[in-house]
Amino acid sequence: QLSVLAETLNQLVRKGWMKKIGHTYSLHRLIQQTLVYQLDFDWESAKITVEIIAKLLSFEDNPDSLAVLSFREYGEFLINRIPETHQNELEILDLKDALALVFRELGRYTEAVFLLESILKEYEEKLGPDHHLVSKTQSNLGAVYKDLGTYTEASKLLEIALRNDKKAFGLDHPRVATRKANLAMIYKELGRQSEAVDLLQAAIESKKNWFGPNDSNVSKDQSNLAIVYQDLHRYREAANLLEEASNSIEKQSGPNHPNVATAKSNLALVYKDMGHYDKAVSLLQTSLEIDRNNYGADHPNTVLRQYNLATVYQNLGRGEEAVIMLEEALKYNETHYGIAHPMVAKNQSSLAMAYKQLGRLKEAISLMEMSL
């Protein structure tokens, strides 16, 4: 049957009805448009496809983030083709929710916020404010607000989501643990480190009970707990957690996975604080290469790795290299986030200190004033 299918597809390619790129086939655009106009839309048939693509785009159902990203175009295609009369079906809302998190992963935060805010409104109207899908969307929207630097709004949403999920699922459910972990990282940004530690420790304990100590969910939360320990100057504890998490993630996902890049980058920053600059540089160069290969040069993760590497170059006296990388990162961050974002202020401050190292004091003062 597969050979018959392949031959049929190849015949359509030869006739010009389809195009083949690698192992992928697609209908010619004119044929697509003709079918859309000629065939009556059947929601019951389309719903099956929508549910399948939503599942493939879900990071919860598919832990391989690179595989999830590969289905993005299918999700966007479906949302653009489904008639307006069906755009608020629960299956479509679920697809939009999954697609919004893909946009977040790709750094397309504005599109993610637009989708999640519209989904949240529809869920609240259809299901009521206490439904678990409302909590899920609140949590996802809060995570994107965090990316955009609006931490107070993010914390409010996550606190509501956590409270409702505790009522719906109980204190030790994985959903509750996930809400705690996400809220913890917002508290970290708000300077509420002690509360962040308590939430992350509780989340890790719950996830160990549900998934086992070596699960990727546990490793991710351990990595985040280490970042909070770093803020509290508990460097040795942070390094131990990150070394454990990094090894676990690499065994599960392979050496070139984005989660490996994140773990190595976090560990490098702890080594930097401990004065182990050569170790930090090696890890950051590796994480930068992984993210550049997976996402390209113009992605928030890639730029963040570049920024972190530049700050270690400063410690090593490699000022000229640091300035070049920090200037590139600042240009990207201003364009991507806007000039009022906390990451831009942080970037300006680091670049100012690099200018100071090189004796460019007027430029340093100007940047520090803007950062302040």
Side-chain angles (χ1 to χ4, degrees), residues 5-21:
L5 173 62
E7 177 54 30
T8 302
L9 290 171
N10 288 326
Q11 285 181 13
L12 291 170
V13 171
R14 288 193 290 271
K15 292 177 179 178
W17 283 53
M18 301 190 77
K19 292 187 292 185
K20 182 182 181 184
I21 302 173

Side-chain angles (χ1 to χ4, degrees), residues 222-275:
Q222 286 175 324
S223 182
N224 286 335
L225 178 58
I227 295 171
V228 182
Y229 281 163
Q230 186 181 3
D231 285 351
L232 296 169
H233 306 295
R234 295 164 63 174
Y235 299 126
R236 189 63 262 169
E237 292 170 273
N240 289 340
L241 271 176
L242 284 167
E243 286 164 359
E244 181 184 340
S246 181
N247 291 334
S248 176
I249 292 169
E250 192 160 354
K251 283 179 184 176
Q252 292 173 43
S253 305
N256 300 312
H257 196 276
N259 291 345
V260 175
T262 300
K264 287 183 182 294
S265 179
N266 292 340
L267 179 57
L269 295 180
V270 176
Y271 283 157
K272 174 196 168 193
D273 287 340
M274 297 172 75

Side-chain angles (χ1 to χ4, degrees), residues 124-136:
E124 287 175 332
E125 290 178 1
K126 287 177 179 290
L127 306 171
D130 298 328
H131 195 275
H132 70 89
L133 288 177
V134 172
S135 299
K136 178 185 175 185

Side-chain angles (χ1 to χ4, degrees), residues 354-363:
Y355 283 159
K356 177 176 176 287
Q357 270 188 327
L358 299 177
R360 297 164 61 176
L361 300 182
K362 287 184 179 180
E363 293 168 279

